[in-house]
Amino acid sequence: MSGPGGIALVFGLPIAVAFIFFALAAYERRMGIATGPGFFQRNGMAIGLYLVIAVSFWAFFIILLPQLAMVDMSFRPKLPPSQMGGPKDLYTLENYRYFLFGSTTSTEEWNWLHIKAFFLTIGASVAITLLNFAICYPLAFHMAQSATAARLRVLLLLLIIPYWVNEILRAFAFRVLLSSGGIINQMLMGVGAVNEPIDFLGADVGLYMGLSYAYLLMMIFPLYNAIESLDRNQIEAARDLGAPWWHIHAFVVMPHAKPGIASGCTLVFMLTAGALAAPLVLGGPRTLWFTPIVYDRFYQAFNWPQGAAYAFILLVSCIVFVLVVLKVFRLSLGEITR
């Protein structure tokens, strides 16, 4: 980021947003819209100031500042350090033009390689999200409504313990499992099911399995929390009235668990779309995944403005997905955080 305009945008925008929120809160309290003790009255002046400073520091320096710097960088050309902030350092759309056309100057041909990788990543992330929901919903329902306390503790341990292992090591475990000389191929050839090893990694089976397994917990726990709060008498009443099992889940359990479903879906989708380790370890030679391309823009091509533009495109896509999920489930942003 360089130039007085970019610095003013990065530092001025968060301060303006914070000031607007404080002004709105003061206005609502003065007009009687918000009632009850205020934030500092509830927490005390010392703790209140600590919370405001700590949360502001975390939100500004860890979240807002890098994101705004990335957005600002994405609209600037690639220049040597000596020319940054100079007359050539002007806002431009050439990084986004390169994503679409593979050139910063020509628009004659589409950049099909990067466009295809982008839409494949989005489509595969949606499919993996739906697959995780199909896997996790029955388990979460059993844990929340049927399992005894002892069985629930065992299930939670079985779910959590594998995640004590690092994500990269889990990805390599899938690679060992699914490689040509791996356990699955040896079993298939041992029982005579196949004559030659199946190229699971080349077909991206390992990649999709690794990504799906990596974020199972992000789906299970929101579902479990939402279903666990459902009164079991509602399910029993539906059964007494003769409702079939699918009717109970479709019209009793799922409507109640909508915040948990939306929360789990958004978490799994965003983490899958932004995953880097699993595509690098489990991706085959012909795998098209967008995040390695973003990584390549930064650390292979050393074109940080172009990498920032690619990352911003992915970020906007994830935000659009979240808004669509909220629209489909008819939820507000605050409801999925409960």
Side-chain angles (χ1 to χ4, degrees):
M1 176 192 55
S2 60
I7 294 175
L9 174 68
V10 169
F11 285 93
L13 184 59
I15 295 174
V17 171
F19 177 78
I20 290 172
F21 275 114
F22 276 112
L24 284 174
Y27 173 77
E28 291 179 351
R29 186 161 298 281
R30 187 166 55 252
M31 298 301 293
I33 300 174
T35 59
F39 176 77
F40 289 103
Q41 291 173 317
R42 291 197 306 271
N43 299 286
M45 183 57 70
I47 295 178
L49 279 176
Y50 170 75
L51 290 174
V52 169
I53 293 172
V55 173
S56 300
F57 180 85
W58 175 74
F60 180 71
F61 285 100
I62 306 300
I63 299 176
L64 283 177
L65 189 60
Q67 299 294 335
L68 290 173
M70 183 191 70
V71 174
D72 178 72
M73 185 186 296
S74 72
F75 288 99
R76 293 183 180 278
K78 180 186 178 184
L79 294 171
S82 60
Q83 296 183 12
M84 290 183 178
K88 294 183 179 180
D89 194 3
L90 302 173
Y91 286 110
T92 176
L93 293 174
E94 68 178 32
N95 297 314
Y96 296 92
R97 189 183 299 122
Y98 187 89
F99 169 73
L100 292 174
F101 302 106
S103 170
T104 57
T105 55
S106 174
T107 58
E108 294 180 355
E109 295 183 1
W110 293 95
N111 186 8
W112 287 117
L113 182 65
H114 291 179
I115 293 173
K116 185 179 177 182
F118 172 74
F119 283 104
L120 179 66
T121 301
I122 298 299
S125 299
V126 172
I128 289 171
T129 301
L130 296 176
L131 174 64
N132 273 17
F133 174 72
I135 294 172
C136 295
Y137 177 80
L139 181 58
F141 179 80
H142 174 72
M143 292 166 57
Q145 296 289 333
S146 305
T148 61
R151 182 178 295 178
L152 178 60
R153 284 195 294 271
V154 172
L155 287 174
L156 288 174
L157 282 176
L158 291 176
L159 287 170
I160 293 172
I161 286 176
Y163 288 86
W164 292 356
V165 180
N166 182 273
E167 180 183 359
I168 295 177
L169 294 179
R170 292 200 306 270
F172 273 108
F174 273 100
R175 193 174 184 86
V176 171
L177 189 70
L178 298 170
S179 64
S180 299
I183 298 172
I184 293 181
N185 269 315
Q186 289 182 5
M187 290 176 59
L188 291 175
M189 288 190 293
V191 298
V194 295
N195 295 324
E196 296 180 353
I198 300 174
D199 189 8
F200 291 112
L201 298 177
D204 289 337
V205 175
L207 172 61
Y208 299 142
M209 286 179 63
L211 287 172
S212 178
Y213 181 76
Y215 306 117
L216 274 178
L217 292 186
M218 299 298 171
M219 181 68 80
I220 283 182
F221 286 127
L223 286 177
Y224 168 75
N225 288 332
I227 298 174
E228 197 270 339
S229 63
L230 176 64
D231 188 351
R232 297 185 183 184
N233 291 327
Q234 294 186 36
I235 299 176
E236 294 301 325
R239 285 174 180 160
D240 293 341
L241 292 172
W245 65 269
W246 65 268
H247 196 284
I248 294 173
H249 287 282
F251 298 103
V252 178
V253 181
M254 288 187 182
H256 177 82
K258 279 197 307 182
I261 297 172
S263 179
C265 288
T266 53
L267 282 172
V268 172
F269 173 81
M270 295 182 76
L271 291 172
T272 304
L276 179 62
L280 288 177
V281 175
L282 294 171
R286 297 181 300 278
T287 298
L288 286 177
W289 201 262
F290 196 63
T291 44
I293 295 176
V294 178
Y295 178 85
D296 178 72
R297 296 293 94 190
F298 277 108
Y299 295 107
Q300 299 297 325
F302 294 106
N303 193 335
W304 283 52
Q306 205 170 82
Y310 278 41
F312 184 55
I313 291 171
L314 188 61
L315 173 65
V316 171
S317 304
C318 290
I319 293 174
V320 170
F321 178 82
V322 173
L323 296 177
V324 169
V325 169
L326 293 177
K327 184 71 175 177
V328 169
F329 286 93
R330 297 179 181 178
L331 292 169
S332 66
L333 191 60
E335 287 179 289
I336 68 171
T337 61
R338 287 185 304 180

